[in-house]
Amino acid sequence: MRKMILLQSCCFSFLFIFLRVANADLSYSVQEEMKRGSVIGNIAKDLGLETGALTNRRARIDTDENDKRYCDINLNNGELIVADRIDREGLCGEKASCILKHELVLESPLELHRINLHVQDINDNSPQFNEESINIEIRESADRGARFVIEGAHDADVGQNAVQHYNLKKNDHFILATNGNTIELVLDKELDREKQDEINLLLTALDGGSPQRSGSVVIHVTVLDANDNAPVFSQAVYKASLPENSPLNTVVVTVSATDADEGVNGDVTYDFSHVSEDVKKVFSIDRKIGEIRVIGAVDYEITRTFEIRVKAKDGLGLSSYAKVIISITDVNDNAPVVNLKSLTNPISENTPPGTEVGIINVQDRDSESNRQVRCSIQQNVPFKLVPSIKNYYSLVTTGQLDRELVSDYNITITATDEGSPPLSSSKTVELSVADINDNPPEFEEQSYSAYVSENNKPGSTLCSVSAADPDWRQNGTVIYSLLPAEVNGAQVSSYVSVNGDTGVIHAVRSFDYEQLRSFKVQVMARDNGSPPLSSNVTVSVFISDVNDNSPQILYPAPEGNSFMTELVPKAAHGGSLVSKVIAVDADSGQNAWLSYHIVKSTDPGLFSIGVHSGEIRTQRDISESDGMKQNLIVAVKDNGQPSLSATCSVYLLISDNLAEVPELKDISYDEKNSKLTSYLIIALVSVSTFFLTFIIIILGVRFCRRRKPRLLFDGAVAIPSAYLPPNYADVDGTGTLRSTYNYDAYLTTGSRTSDFKFVISYFSWAQPGLVDYSSFAPSIESSSVAVLS
């Protein structure tokens, strides 16, 4: 028999036996005091899982928050191993069955398996008596066969390893009798105090472990005169109920025992009989009256029941024993605890509703209704709690997330128990939303306008565009570029450029208002997301005019190898039109508003010029004393800042008769060389001949028709294209050339032999122009004469 027990004990020392797996429960047997890391069993094999599945599903061993974890799992091979020292006596005391409860948690999907560890006792404690010696006083009158109860030894081990039997060293008066847990010293031979008043007996307690352990105590017997009645308790078992957290000095129960003897033999005192130090820290007993009071903290969650053995002893050493059972009742003194077991953080903003992002576990160490917990979440977040297995909840999304609206969530989870009053606790879970590229850049304005003066420097800044992207990091980084297009047949990139980082638009070239007044470009803003998103905006560039063109005089023609002379009748009155200076300016606006001024003249008081029209008129009637040759220098200025100007010379001959034209041979200009003078004389003679012939024809026609004579022409005469500068723009009212200018020529009111009176001008304001004298006077290389009045 002993060999079998020894063999079994040896097996338990090195192996752990897998008992059963049923209804999601795993049960294992483990001996106490095993080394850390010792293998208990293989969970992966028992659950039929592959070894790698434990790591993928983040397997772990969970216990209640305040409970120590005595086992762990090796994720590499699925073995359940010892994680901490297991002391069966410290965990379960004298209980025959000692079970440690743990939970195996698997995620994705969530699974929960209960693990029960049955802790097996080993013989690691020797029997111990409560006292080093037992004093017994026995009257010498005691009869043979008298029995005296002895307090037995205590062995913290259980079962076979607990105390199995006692041995009393051989003596002359006593033998040992055991009946269950009761040990009695039996008087086998009467005592004789006169022969022997003290007897020392050696009592040995033996357990059934292997190897066997023992403990001894000396029984000191004092022989007295008769005290034949031991104290008797009012009841063998006292039961009491005590709420946890009871205040100190609370009376739990009062035990009572009586002794039929009188005097010292009947004086009863009370004490605890062989209780643990934990009990002595919580309860005390009044030696005189037997009241058991609270002297320490009572916690239902630590110990739910106390079993206390109380001894009543009379004055001469006789004693009896009773049991006190104290049941601790639960009070709702523990708030629920919310534990975050798993969390996916951050989560993408395109996560669909219904996605599980976290696992929450709620624990309450109280019992019954105090342990029932309701879990809730605040209402203003797109998340909810979905009950799962036992006290587990899944944190699930309920709506579409948008990082640009809310980038971080502080989710408060509140757990409330059903105690009275209820207790609650909260836990805040911080959850971040990860960005995706779901927003294109947006320009601050729907369109942009840039204004630049012509003749700008290449590289000058035109304007700046700005686009914002609410996305994050590279998804919100904006890069600017020009969209391909053409301006006047050239690529838009040859006109402007854009800074890819800042959106500043620069001019690539210098602009000319006379060639290009405005153009449009398309700017694209693109983010750095994947795939990238973009948007476009139109930038209108307007070029403003700068006064960079001087006035250009169309008439009289610029001096070269020839010059033109105007013929003025001597009978011209004050205010008569004698000539007109015609000029244009390629600029626009006020830069093209022209004004005319006579800066030098032969006779300063004779002629004036219209400031805005350029018409040269007589200021007074021409007199005989006025010189025939009149030379005017006319300056034409624009209205720009600064003002630009051009000058021309107007040559006038005062004569009433074409016959006087030969006198031109005497005209000499300091500015002309002799060769030019010769050409002028020849031209004047030719023109005079032409005019005489033309006048005769006109007079003949007038006479035939009996109408008012009308000479020369009546109609619009176009300016020769040679006089028009490039990029010429018509601007009414600014003094520039008009498209049509008409003249009527009349005979003089004097003698019929007179050649001319003067020419009266009339013109169309819609289409101004220039008189083309070539229509009635031959062109002469050296000179040409036009007669105006």
Side-chain angles (χ1 to χ4, degrees):
M1 181 65 179
R2 288 188 176 183
K3 290 183 179 181
M4 293 180 64
I5 295 174
L6 180 61
L7 180 60
Q8 183 179 8
S9 177
C10 292
C11 293
F12 281 144
S13 300
F14 299 98
L15 298 174
F16 299 100
I17 302 174
F18 171 76
L19 296 180
R20 60 189 182 89
V21 178
N23 298 324
D25 286 350
L26 300 174
S27 294
Y28 297 90
S29 179
V30 58
Q31 287 187 352
E32 64 173 332
E33 304 297 343
M34 293 301 295
K35 293 182 180 180
R36 291 181 177 87
S38 299
V39 179
I40 299 173
N42 193 302
I43 289 181
K45 180 179 179 181
D46 297 334
L47 293 178
L49 299 175
E50 295 181 1
T51 303
L54 296 177
T55 301
N56 296 334
R57 298 183 63 181
R58 290 182 283 182
R60 61 179 178 272
I61 302 297
D62 273 358
T63 63
D64 289 342
E65 184 179 29
N66 294 328
D67 290 344
K68 184 181 293 186
R69 189 175 62 181
Y70 292 96
C71 64
D72 205 347
I73 185 171
N74 187 330
L75 297 179
N76 295 326
N77 52 29
E79 291 179 344
L80 186 67
I81 61 176
V82 176
D84 202 348
R85 175 176 176 263
I86 301 176
D87 182 10
R88 194 203 67 79
E89 289 74 27
L91 293 174
C92 301
E94 297 181 359
K95 294 181 180 178
S97 176
C98 184
I99 300 176
L100 299 180
K101 295 184 178 180
H102 294 71
E103 291 179 344
L104 172 65
V105 180
L106 299 174
E107 296 183 8
S108 302
L110 181 63
E111 291 184 17
L112 185 67
H113 300 278
R114 290 185 293 271
I115 299 177
N116 296 326
L117 295 182
H118 296 264
V119 181
Q120 302 295 328
D121 182 51
I122 63 174
N123 191 26
D124 57 342
N125 292 281
S126 299
Q128 292 181 351
F129 288 90
N130 192 37
E131 299 173 349
E132 292 183 0
S133 65
I134 300 175
N135 295 317
I136 300 177
E137 296 177 343
I138 304 175
R139 283 189 176 276
E140 63 179 354
S141 59
D143 297 332
R144 182 184 178 186
R147 293 174 178 265
F148 305 93
V149 178
I150 303 298
E151 183 177 1
H154 174 74
D155 193 333
D157 297 325
V158 296
Q160 188 68 25
N161 295 325
V163 176
Q164 298 297 318
H165 59 275
Y166 295 87
N167 289 330
L168 183 64
K169 187 176 180 180
K170 187 175 181 181
N171 61 87
D172 297 331
H173 297 279
F174 297 92
I175 61 173
L176 192 66
T178 58
N179 183 13
N181 294 326
T182 302
I183 305 170
E184 294 178 328
L185 197 61
V186 180
L187 184 60
D188 186 56
K189 181 180 180 182
E190 291 81 5
L191 298 174
D192 187 358
R193 179 179 174 276
E194 287 69 28
K195 291 181 179 180
Q196 188 177 8
D197 59 347
E198 292 183 352
I199 303 172
N200 290 322
L201 306 175
L202 181 61
L203 178 62
T204 301
L206 300 172
D207 63 21
S210 178
Q212 191 176 49
R213 293 175 179 268
S214 63
S216 300
V217 67
V218 174
I219 303 175
H220 182 74
V221 179
T222 300
V223 180
L224 301 175
D225 286 338
N227 178 26
D228 53 355
N229 291 290
V232 177
F233 281 97
S234 59
Q235 55 189 80
V237 177
Y238 293 86
K239 292 183 179 180
S241 178
L242 178 67
E244 66 173 327
N245 303 328
S246 293
L248 301 181
N249 291 322
T250 300
V251 177
V252 181
V253 67
T254 301
V255 297
S256 177
T258 59
D259 193 316
D261 294 325
E262 293 181 355
V264 177
N265 295 332
D267 190 6
V268 179
T269 58
Y270 303 93
D271 198 358
F272 292 138
S273 174
H274 197 80
V275 294
S276 66
E277 292 297 323
D278 293 336
V279 174
K280 292 180 180 180
K281 292 178 182 179
V282 178
F283 302 103
S284 68
I285 187 169
D286 189 294
R287 294 181 60 84
K288 296 296 184 181
I289 61 176
E291 284 183 349
I292 297 177
R293 293 178 178 269
V294 176
I295 62 171
V298 180
D299 192 348
Y300 173 85
E301 285 70 41
I302 296 178
T303 305
R304 301 185 181 186
T305 304
F306 290 93
E307 292 188 4
I308 303 173
R309 194 175 187 190
V310 180
K311 178 175 68 175
K313 180 180 179 182
D314 61 21
L316 296 180
L318 295 181
S319 60
S320 59
Y321 301 89
K323 182 184 291 186
V324 177
I325 299 175
I326 302 175
S327 299
I328 308 301
T329 59
D330 183 41
V331 174
N332 190 29
D333 59 343
N334 291 282
V337 178
V338 180
N339 298 309
L340 180 63
K341 295 298 184 181
S342 176
L343 182 65
T344 302
N345 191 18
I347 58 174
S348 177
E349 61 179 324
N350 62 348
T351 298
T355 301
E356 180 182 272
V357 298
I359 297 176
I360 307 298
N361 176 255
V362 181
Q363 298 284 348
D364 193 317
R365 300 183 66 236
D366 295 320
S367 63
E368 298 180 354
S369 62
N370 296 332
R371 188 183 180 91
Q372 301 301 316
V373 178
R374 300 187 307 275
C375 205
S376 62
I377 193 172
Q378 75 259 38
Q379 298 299 317
N380 58 342
V381 293
F383 299 94
K384 67 176 181 179
L385 288 176
V386 178
S388 186
I389 302 173
K390 197 180 178 182
N391 50 357
Y392 282 85
Y393 295 84
S394 295
L395 183 62
V396 177
T397 59
T398 60
Q400 191 66 45
L401 305 178
D402 190 346
R403 192 204 66 84
E404 287 68 44
L405 295 178
V406 181
S407 60
D408 295 282
Y409 289 94
N410 290 326
I411 305 170
T412 301
I413 300 171
T414 302
T416 304
D417 62 28
E418 295 184 359
S420 179
L423 300 178
S424 63
S425 63
S426 300
K427 186 177 185 65
T428 300
V429 178
E430 296 181 358
L431 193 61
S432 299
V433 181
D435 184 52
I436 64 170
N437 192 28
D438 57 346
N439 291 280
E442 292 187 4
F443 285 94
E444 294 179 355
E445 300 180 18
Q446 293 185 352
S447 62
Y448 291 84
S449 297
Y451 298 89
V452 59
S453 299
E454 65 173 331
N455 303 326
N456 59 292
K457 293 182 179 180
S460 59
T461 300
L462 301 181
C463 69
S464 177
V465 298
S466 180
D469 193 320
D471 291 324
W472 195 45
R473 290 186 176 175
Q474 72 272 13
N475 294 334
T477 301
V478 179
I479 299 175
Y480 304 92
S481 61
L482 294 176
L483 290 179
E486 290 188 355
V487 176
N488 282 355
Q491 291 296 321
V492 68
S493 58
S494 64
Y495 285 83
V496 295
S497 65
V498 61
N499 188 303
D501 297 325
T502 63
V504 177
I505 299 178
H506 300 277
V508 175
R509 64 168 66 175
S510 179
F511 299 127
D512 189 352
Y513 174 83
E514 286 71 39
Q515 294 183 359
L516 180 65
R517 299 189 177 186
S518 66
F519 62 92
K520 294 182 178 181
V521 298
Q522 290 280 331
V523 178
M524 178 179 69
R526 175 181 59 82
D527 60 30
N528 270 339
S530 180
L533 301 178
S534 63
S535 60
N536 304 332
V537 70
T538 299
V539 180
S540 300
V541 181
F542 298 95
I543 305 169
S544 58
D545 185 43
V546 173
N547 192 29
D548 59 344
N549 291 282
S550 300
Q552 185 174 356
I553 299 174
L554 302 181
Y555 184 84
E559 295 184 14
N561 295 327
S562 64
F563 64 91
M564 298 183 67
T565 302
E566 303 285 354
L567 191 63
V568 181
K570 293 181 179 180
H573 298 290
S576 298
L577 175 66
V578 297
S579 184
K580 179 178 176 68
V581 176
I582 301 173
V584 294
D585 195 316
D587 295 319
S588 64
Q590 66 177 9
N591 294 330
W593 295 353
L594 303 181
S595 61
Y596 302 83
H597 308 275
I598 297 176
V599 297
K600 185 178 180 182
S601 65
T602 304
D603 187 349
L606 183 55
F607 297 100
S608 65
I609 189 168
V611 175
H612 300 298
S613 64
E615 295 178 344
I616 300 175
R617 296 181 182 272
T618 57
Q619 296 188 70
R620 57 179 173 78
D621 295 344
I622 297 177
S623 64
E624 293 294 334
S625 61
D626 294 327
M628 177 180 294
K629 297 183 300 177
Q630 296 291 329
N631 183 16
L632 306 179
I633 298 178
V634 178
V636 182
K637 298 183 179 179
D638 59 26
N639 199 35
Q641 294 294 332
S643 176
L644 301 179
S645 64
T647 60
C648 66
S649 296
V650 179
Y651 304 102
L652 301 175
L653 283 176
I654 300 175
S655 176
D656 276 340
N657 196 334
L658 293 177
E660 299 177 358
V661 171
E663 296 179 2
L664 290 174
K665 65 182 181 289
D666 298 328
I667 299 176
S668 65
Y669 298 90
D670 295 335
E671 301 85 356
K672 306 298 180 180
N673 55 30
S674 59
K675 183 177 180 180
L676 182 61
T677 303
S678 300
Y679 287 157
L680 177 60
I681 294 173
I682 296 173
L684 288 174
V685 172
S686 300
V687 172
S688 299
T689 303
F690 172 81
F691 273 112
L692 287 175
T693 305
F694 187 78
I695 290 172
I696 293 172
I697 295 173
I698 294 300
L699 290 175
V701 173
R702 180 183 178 188
F703 177 78
C704 295
R705 295 186 178 180
R706 299 176 179 273
R707 298 176 60 187
K708 181 180 178 179
R710 197 168 188 181
L711 300 180
L712 297 180
F713 59 89
D714 182 9
V717 180
I719 300 174
S721 61
Y723 289 122
L724 293 177
N727 304 321
Y728 163 66
D730 293 338
V731 180
D732 292 342
T734 63
T736 56
L737 179 65
R738 295 180 176 86
S739 301
T740 307
Y741 201 98
N742 300 332
Y743 293 88
D744 283 345
Y746 295 91
L747 294 176
T748 63
T749 57
S751 173
R752 292 282 183 177
T753 62
S754 299
D755 296 323
F756 293 100
K757 178 181 179 182
F758 51 84
V759 178
I760 300 175
S761 67
Y762 70 98
F763 48 83
S764 169
W765 293 102
Q767 298 267 334
L770 172 68
V771 176
D772 185 2
Y773 294 96
S774 64
S775 63
F776 60 88
S779 175
I780 301 175
E781 180 182 359
S782 62
S783 66
S784 61
V785 177
V787 179
L788 296 174
S789 176

